[in-house]
Structure formats: C-alpha cells, structure tokens
Amino acid sequence: MATPSLNPEAAAPQGPAAPPPPAAPRRRRFRGFGIFRLLLLLAAGTSLVGAVAGFGLYHQLQAALPDYRWLADYQPQQMSRIYAADSQLMAELANERRVFVPIEAIPARLQQAFISAEDQRFREHMGIDPAGMVRAVVTWAQTYGSGRRMQGASTITQQVAKNMLVGSDRTMLRKAREALLALRLERTLSKERILEIYLNEIFMGAQAYGVAAAAQAYFNKALDELTIGEMAFLASLPKAPNNYNPLRHPEPARIRRNWVIERMAEDGAITAAEAQTARAETLLARPTRRPDTVPVGQHFTEDVRRELITRFGPEQAAGGGLVVRTSLDPALQAAAEEALRRGTMAYDRRRGGWRGPVGRIPFGPSEWQASLEAMPRAPGALPAWRQAVVQSVTNSEARVAWLERANPRVPWEARSGVIDLADTAWARPILPGPAQAGLRLGAAPRRMNDVLTPSDVVLVEPNPARPGRVLLRQLPEAEAAIVALDPATGRILAMAGGWSFERSQFNRASQALRQPGSSFKPFVYLPALEDGIPPNQRFLDTAVEIPTPQGVWRPGNYGGGSSGAAVTMRSALERSLNLVTVRIAQQVTMARVSDVANRFGVINNMPPYLAMSLGAGETTVVRMASAYASFVNGGRRVEPSLIDSVQDQRGRVIWRGDQRACQGCDGGPDSAPPTLAENRRQIADPIATYQIVNILQGAVQRGTGGRAGQGLNRPVAGKTGTTDDYKDNWFVGFTPDLVVAVWFGFDEPRSLGNNETGGLNAAPIFRDVMEAALRGSPPVPFRAPPGVSLVRVTLDNGQSLMEAFRPGTENAAQPVDGTASGAGAASRVESGLGGLY
C-alpha cells in the first residue's frame, strides 16, 4: 500500500513541467587589468633599475670629472716674443697664436654675434639647453637617411667644458661628462667669465686662436674696428673654420655670415636696417702680414729659446706671453755673419777645391724649367745666389739659366747668364789621397769642360760689375763661429754659430767643444805674473823633454825647432813660443794653471797635465770670449748673457740679466745720481790682468796677430791659436769696449792644411767684425789699475815700449844661467803709477 505523500502539492495532478527560473547573470572579469598591472610593475622595475644605474653612472662620472675650479684663474696661452736690443722683433714663440683680450674689451655686438650663432639662450640656461637638445633631435629625425651630420646642441658652456676639460671624443660618455661639467661651471663661474674664456680660447682657423687673433688674421684689424658683417663672419667660424675661409671658399663663407646676421637680427642685437647693410657688405679678407723680424741671428735666437725653456719651462716659454728683451745688436750681428761667410769662402777658394754641381736635371727647351722648379734649393745658399742649370759649355765660358720671380703670386720667369773661365781659377779638382795636411788639389782648370758639363745644376751669383755675367759659387765645407760681447757686462752683442742656420742648427759658438790651442796661453802666464815674475824675465827657448806613462813628450814651437836663446816672457807670448810656455807652466805648476782656467771659466776641472798648457783641453767660443773679458775689466768674473730682461704677460719683470743692485734709484729728482753696485767676483789680481792686456797688445802689434789690427788705428789686444795638425784656428781679441772670439775649422776635426793658422784664417774675421763695431767711434785706451808701474823699456830689436810692472819688480828680472842679466830691464819709470795706456 502506497504511503501517502506528505507534500500536498504532490497529490495534485501533474501537468506539463514548468520551465526553471532564469539564473542570475555572472559578472565577467576584465582581462586587460592583469596586463596593465604587469606593465606597471615592469615600468616601476625598469625605473628603479634605471634610477640605480643612473645614480651609479652619476657617481662614476662625478668621480672621473677633472678639476674645473682652476678655470676661475685661467690665463690662456699667448705668444711669447723675443726682441733685439734695439726693440726689433727677432722671433715669436707660440704653440697657439693668440692675443688674450678681457671680456670688457670685447665689443658687446661681437659677443652677441657669437651668442646668436652658437647659443641663443646662453644668458638664460644653466649650462645645458634642453630645448636646444630637443630641436637637434627633431632636426636629425627629419633629415635621417640624408647623410647629413646631426646638428649639435652644445651650449657655449659645454664647448668650454669640452675644449678645456674633457676633450672632443665623439662618445655618449664624453657628452654626459661635458653636460655635468657645464652645470657645475655655471654654478662656479659668471656668464661673463665663461664667455671670456670661450672667445679667447676657440680656434678660428688661419692659425688663430681667439677673436683678437682672428680679427688680425682675416682683416688686419683690432676688435673695435670690425664692422657688423666682419663680426658676423668671425662668429660663423667656430663651426668649421677651414670650410668658411673666405680666401678659399668665398661663397660658403658669405652664406654662413649672412645666416649669423639673420640670427643677430632675430635676437634684437642689430636692427633690420643694419642687417640689410651688413648682408650687402662685401666679404673681403685682408690677411695680416706677419711682422718683420730681424733677418739675422738665428743661432742667437735658438740659444735664447733654449734658455727660456731651461728657466721657465716649455709651456711658459712658448705660451706664457713673455716679452723677452735680448742683448743682440742687429747691425753688429749682420756684420759678424758677413765676416764669417767672407772668411770661410776665402779659405774654400784657397783650399777647398771644386766639389761638383749640386745636382743634375734633364735639359731640354721644354722640360728644364719644370725640373729646376721641382728641385729643392740647396740648404744654406745665400739669398743672392741662384740655382741654375748649365745650358751649353765652350772652352772659355758656360751659359746657365735659372728661374726668378718677384713674389709667390707671380709666375716664374727664365733668366740666363754666362760664367767666364777666368772666374773659375779656384775650382781645382780634388785629387785622391790622404788629407792629413789638407786636401790635395790639382791644377787650375784650362777649359770650362774641366769644371762644368750641360745639365749640371750649380749655384751662381750675378756679377754686379759685369751685367750678363755670373760667378760660380759653392757652399764651403769649413765652418766658423763668432762671439762679440761687452766686457763690462758680459752681454753678448753678436753670435754666429756657423755658415747658415738653415744648413745646420748646431751652434758652434756655444755647443761645440774645441781645443783652444795657443789662445789658452795667457792663462798660463797669468799665475806667473801674479807671483811677481816681471814681463821682462827671460826663459830659455830650448828643447824640453817631459817623461809620461806613454813615453817622452817633446813639444816644439810652431815650425819646429827652437831659437836656443833666452827670451822675455813678453816676447814668448807675443810670438806664441810653446817651449817657453811649457817652462813657465812647470815653474808655476799645472795645479795653478788649472785653477786659473777654472776661475776664468775656460775649462772646469782641467786635468793638471803639461800638454794642457798648450791648449790641449776643450772649451767653447763663448767661454773664451767671457774669459778674455775678465782681462779687460780688471780681473772680475764675467758671466756671458743673452737675455737682458723677461716680462710676463702683465708687464711685470720676472727676470733680469744684470743682477747688480742700483744704489739711489729710488731717490727723488734732487738726490744724487744712482750708481750700480759692483758685485762681480774678483778672480785675478788687477795688476797681473793688466800686464796680460799690455803683452797681448804687443801680440797684435808685433806678434802672430798682426792681421787682427790692420787698419783699426786704435789699441787692440789679442791672441792667436792653432792646434796640432792645423785642425783648429782661433783668434780672441779685444778693445776696452768689445771682446770678439773667432773659431775656424771643420765640424769633424781634420787638418785645414799646412800653415793654415789662426793668424791667417781667424784674425781677419776678427778684424772685420771689430772694424764694423767700432766704425765712427773714437779710439779708447786701456785703463791701467791703480798701483801699476808703467816703465819704458827697450826691446832686443831696439824698439821701446811702456811695460807694466808690479811695484818693486821693475828690476827684478833674474839671470837665466847665472851670468847674463835680464836684458830689456827697466831703464826708468816714465809715467808713475796707474794712468792710461
């Protein structure tokens, strides 16, 4: 039996099933939210990593930044200038040709021209210009693929940082350092200081650095003389100075200038009318001509440059803006160089022979000019000489042709001339064989074919006495050196270091160590005179034998042999007798001679060997000149000097050659005249040095130096010097106002030839220099020191002269062999103590 349903509804009759009620709609999740959150997390992570990386990069850049604070006191490099004693410019020393101008002296419009061209927002930004960076990126995107270089966005401050501190590497790291430094520079320096550094430091082409040098280089004007168009042109240069040089690229230079003018008008720096006038202005460059320099004294100038580097360092010497005033006398320097060349050419014509042409070129009517033009000029050829090609040769003459032009802007023009056989008698052939006694030369040429052949390239000089005729020339192999100095101060007035600085920069006057030969002998006689030995004391002129570890040394007089007689010390020095000199050195000891050489600065630490008494040591021409100067000024040490004073770029004297103190220079107009205090060291007895001067006058009047005084008609003293095998020739001489030392020889020591002595080669050069120096001046006698006795004595040849004695030694000459008296003894005191002679 079915259990009845408890559900009343269940009993109801069942009809069709009712549809279920509709389900509530489910809310669908937004899928993009997860992606956004992921991107947000990635962005946050990337920002965090970027911040950490940026912070690390910042610290890395900061640690590597150079010190920029020194720019507050920065002074840019400036040219140093060297001047002669008469204020003529000798040379400019410069790593960069720059003239520094303070910002106050730079016209405001010129400043604005650079700001308009390079950094329009310079006055507003803080070192970097974000707007300019964005503009550069946009411009780059617009021109991408065109091959154009990306436009720069550097500010003037960034350019200062790049030029002065970080360099110009094209890397992002360098750019970041540059930007960071620019921000710091703006906090440290004023805008005016940054602009001042920029306008004085920037390279402007034409070897000019800074706006002042550029104004001179392009327009030969000062800054305050520039027109608006010229200012705009200068402001256009920093971008690419070589591309806008108006002499080579006039049209690009004009277009770039006009662009700057438009920028200036936009910025309100000029009016529209001024801009129109400036654009219409012709861009005409007038390059400045370098100032004329003294055409002589290159060896002197090079020694000055080396001394500046030694005293102040290379950077200060070439970039410190120094004003260097030297002791060079240009007229005397020119005379010294002329005398040197005349002397070396005279020897070369006498002993040099003909060494052949300087080259050969193919000769033809249409090809010789191009070949000769392409051939380099022989180094050392004088300005008056021409490099010519031999066109034709006959028995008696040779026709030559050369090229000439007045200046580099005009084409070459052909010239021709004739060499006569009579003018080539010196061009003898050099014969093979040993040259211990000089070159062996053949006979004088009989036909022109013996000397020249067609196609030879030779040096010729037009003959002013015979138009159309030229003289065959040859660069001499022998060299010479000259120093002329003031004995009162040591100032070197002239210095010639060789035939030509172009051929050899080696200064034989200051750098070459050569044996002085007999010109050293006064330093042997001086200690004898200091010991009281009178000048008329006799010594035997007989053979001397000196035992040495290498064997017996037997010195001899010039020409060999000896007189066998007793001669006075005066006569021995005048005639340069070696045997007597050795005997005197033995008597005073070589230790004393070495001490004298050291005191006078001739040879420092000279070994005390007897051979040194005959000049076997080594010294320089400068040292010999300064040592002889000590004879003139009473035995005081003379230090040779090239530089009188050095001023820095602000005009302050930072070094002075004359170290003597000026007493009374600070006094008023009514005070006593100022005097210079004598502070030079006394290195020898004044009476003894005057005795040497007195004897050396005799060496010129009666001895080996006769050619040195010819025609001078004034008191001249000096001594010749000739070394073994005639390798070195010397003459060192002086008047009361000037000392001149001359050396003559070959760079690689070899014999000049038999009988080629200092009296033959060096003394005439001395005479020519001295004649040029003293021309027009009255004769001045040598001043005797207080206390000296001037006594008239009679020489062996019957001549009489005033001899200088130390008081009490007038009759002190001792017999040589115990029987003969000192001939030439004093007869009577004629002029007492001191005085002029």
mmCIF file of all heavy atoms in Angstrom, residues 13-29:
data_model
loop_
_atom_site.group_PDB
_atom_site.id
_atom_site.type_symbol
_atom_site.label_atom_id
_atom_site.label_comp_id
_atom_site.label_asym_id
_atom_site.label_seq_id
_atom_site.Cartn_x
_atom_site.Cartn_y
_atom_site.Cartn_z
ATOM 1 N N PRO A 13 -2.729 16.798 -9.484
ATOM 2 C CA PRO A 13 -2.461 16.145 -10.770
ATOM 3 C C PRO A 13 -1.266 16.842 -11.457
ATOM 4 O O PRO A 13 -1.122 18.043 -11.410
ATOM 5 C CB PRO A 13 -3.776 16.337 -11.526
ATOM 6 C CG PRO A 13 -4.660 17.240 -10.720
ATOM 7 C CD PRO A 13 -4.105 17.403 -9.391
ATOM 8 N N GLN A 14 -0.428 16.027 -12.068
ATOM 9 C CA GLN A 14 0.810 16.528 -12.734
ATOM 10 C C GLN A 14 0.472 16.994 -14.129
ATOM 11 O O GLN A 14 -0.088 16.240 -14.923
ATOM 12 C CB GLN A 14 1.885 15.408 -12.779
ATOM 13 C CG GLN A 14 2.260 14.923 -11.405
ATOM 14 C CD GLN A 14 3.070 15.974 -10.657
ATOM 15 O OE1 GLN A 14 3.837 16.678 -11.231
ATOM 16 N NE2 GLN A 14 2.850 16.072 -9.339
ATOM 17 N N GLY A 15 0.829 18.229 -14.418
ATOM 18 C CA GLY A 15 0.709 18.765 -15.771
ATOM 19 C C GLY A 15 2.098 18.887 -16.422
ATOM 20 O O GLY A 15 3.074 18.334 -15.924
ATOM 21 N N PRO A 16 2.206 19.580 -17.452
ATOM 22 C CA PRO A 16 3.493 19.787 -18.102
ATOM 23 C C PRO A 16 4.472 20.524 -17.164
ATOM 24 O O PRO A 16 4.066 21.386 -16.382
ATOM 25 C CB PRO A 16 3.173 20.700 -19.302
ATOM 26 C CG PRO A 16 1.684 20.653 -19.464
ATOM 27 C CD PRO A 16 1.079 20.258 -18.170
ATOM 28 N N ALA A 17 5.790 20.135 -17.263
ATOM 29 C CA ALA A 17 6.803 20.712 -16.341
ATOM 30 C C ALA A 17 7.023 22.201 -16.637
ATOM 31 O O ALA A 17 7.156 22.602 -17.778
ATOM 32 C CB ALA A 17 8.133 19.981 -16.465
ATOM 33 N N ALA A 18 7.050 22.977 -15.589
ATOM 34 C CA ALA A 18 7.286 24.440 -15.767
ATOM 35 C C ALA A 18 8.763 24.714 -16.001
ATOM 36 O O ALA A 18 9.621 24.047 -15.404
ATOM 37 C CB ALA A 18 6.806 25.192 -14.522
ATOM 38 N N PRO A 19 9.042 25.635 -16.815
ATOM 39 C CA PRO A 19 10.462 25.958 -17.072
ATOM 40 C C PRO A 19 11.143 26.511 -15.823
ATOM 41 O O PRO A 19 10.504 27.185 -15.021
ATOM 42 C CB PRO A 19 10.391 27.035 -18.159
ATOM 43 C CG PRO A 19 9.025 27.625 -18.049
ATOM 44 C CD PRO A 19 8.106 26.544 -17.551
ATOM 45 N N PRO A 20 12.424 26.171 -15.639
ATOM 46 C CA PRO A 20 13.135 26.639 -14.428
ATOM 47 C C PRO A 20 13.319 28.160 -14.483
ATOM 48 O O PRO A 20 13.352 28.740 -15.562
ATOM 49 C CB PRO A 20 14.517 25.940 -14.502
ATOM 50 C CG PRO A 20 14.711 25.649 -15.955
ATOM 51 C CD PRO A 20 13.327 25.375 -16.522
ATOM 52 N N PRO A 21 13.392 28.775 -13.339
ATOM 53 C CA PRO A 21 13.562 30.250 -13.335
ATOM 54 C C PRO A 21 14.930 30.647 -13.918
ATOM 55 O O PRO A 21 15.906 29.908 -13.771
ATOM 56 C CB PRO A 21 13.459 30.608 -11.846
ATOM 57 C CG PRO A 21 13.832 29.360 -11.137
ATOM 58 C CD PRO A 21 13.361 28.213 -11.980
ATOM 59 N N PRO A 22 14.999 31.751 -14.549
ATOM 60 C CA PRO A 22 16.295 32.184 -15.169
ATOM 61 C C PRO A 22 17.369 32.452 -14.122
ATOM 62 O O PRO A 22 17.080 32.999 -13.060
ATOM 63 C CB PRO A 22 15.933 33.478 -15.900
ATOM 64 C CG PRO A 22 14.662 33.951 -15.245
ATOM 65 C CD PRO A 22 13.908 32.745 -14.744
ATOM 66 N N ALA A 23 18.578 31.944 -14.414
ATOM 67 C CA ALA A 23 19.717 32.115 -13.466
ATOM 68 C C ALA A 23 20.206 33.576 -13.469
ATOM 69 O O ALA A 23 20.126 34.256 -14.476
ATOM 70 C CB ALA A 23 20.874 31.193 -13.849
ATOM 71 N N ALA A 24 20.687 33.975 -12.349
ATOM 72 C CA ALA A 24 21.241 35.353 -12.257
ATOM 73 C C ALA A 24 22.508 35.474 -13.118
ATOM 74 O O ALA A 24 23.355 34.571 -13.106
ATOM 75 C CB ALA A 24 21.573 35.686 -10.804
ATOM 76 N N PRO A 25 22.666 36.521 -13.875
ATOM 77 C CA PRO A 25 23.856 36.651 -14.774
ATOM 78 C C PRO A 25 25.164 36.735 -13.984
ATOM 79 O O PRO A 25 25.252 37.455 -12.993
ATOM 80 C CB PRO A 25 23.588 37.963 -15.520
ATOM 81 C CG PRO A 25 22.651 38.750 -14.663
ATOM 82 C CD PRO A 25 21.805 37.729 -13.947
ATOM 83 N N ARG A 26 26.279 36.016 -14.399
ATOM 84 C CA ARG A 26 27.609 36.026 -13.753
ATOM 85 C C ARG A 26 28.433 37.220 -14.250
ATOM 86 O O ARG A 26 28.469 37.542 -15.428
ATOM 87 C CB ARG A 26 28.350 34.728 -14.062
ATOM 88 C CG ARG A 26 27.648 33.465 -13.518
ATOM 89 C CD ARG A 26 28.476 32.239 -13.852
ATOM 90 N NE ARG A 26 29.810 32.332 -13.256
ATOM 91 C CZ ARG A 26 30.762 31.430 -13.479
ATOM 92 N NH1 ARG A 26 30.540 30.400 -14.260
ATOM 93 N NH2 ARG A 26 31.934 31.573 -12.903
ATOM 94 N N ARG A 27 29.120 37.901 -13.263
ATOM 95 C CA ARG A 27 29.969 39.082 -13.607
ATOM 96 C C ARG A 27 31.285 38.577 -14.232
ATOM 97 O O ARG A 27 32.016 37.808 -13.611
ATOM 98 C CB ARG A 27 30.265 39.882 -12.352
ATOM 99 C CG ARG A 27 31.080 41.141 -12.618
ATOM 100 C CD ARG A 27 31.229 41.960 -11.362
ATOM 101 N NE ARG A 27 29.920 42.420 -10.937
ATOM 102 C CZ ARG A 27 29.730 43.109 -9.798
ATOM 103 N NH1 ARG A 27 30.749 43.374 -9.009
ATOM 104 N NH2 ARG A 27 28.508 43.503 -9.469
ATOM 105 N N ARG A 28 31.632 39.023 -15.479
ATOM 106 C CA ARG A 28 32.826 38.579 -16.202
ATOM 107 C C ARG A 28 34.034 39.458 -15.794
ATOM 108 O O ARG A 28 33.967 40.682 -15.759
ATOM 109 C CB ARG A 28 32.600 38.694 -17.700
ATOM 110 C CG ARG A 28 31.398 37.863 -18.168
ATOM 111 C CD ARG A 28 31.182 38.011 -19.645
ATOM 112 N NE ARG A 28 32.273 37.421 -20.402
ATOM 113 C CZ ARG A 28 32.337 37.433 -21.748
ATOM 114 N NH1 ARG A 28 31.388 38.012 -22.426
ATOM 115 N NH2 ARG A 28 33.352 36.879 -22.354
ATOM 116 N N ARG A 29 35.275 38.901 -15.497
ATOM 117 C CA ARG A 29 36.482 39.617 -15.083
ATOM 118 C C ARG A 29 37.178 40.270 -16.314
ATOM 119 O O ARG A 29 37.265 39.658 -17.377
ATOM 120 C CB ARG A 29 37.465 38.670 -14.395
ATOM 121 C CG ARG A 29 36.874 38.035 -13.133
ATOM 122 C CD ARG A 29 37.902 37.179 -12.450
ATOM 123 N NE ARG A 29 39.039 38.005 -12.006
ATOM 124 C CZ ARG A 29 40.108 37.463 -11.404
ATOM 125 N NH1 ARG A 29 40.201 36.180 -11.177
ATOM 126 N NH2 ARG A 29 41.090 38.264 -11.024
#
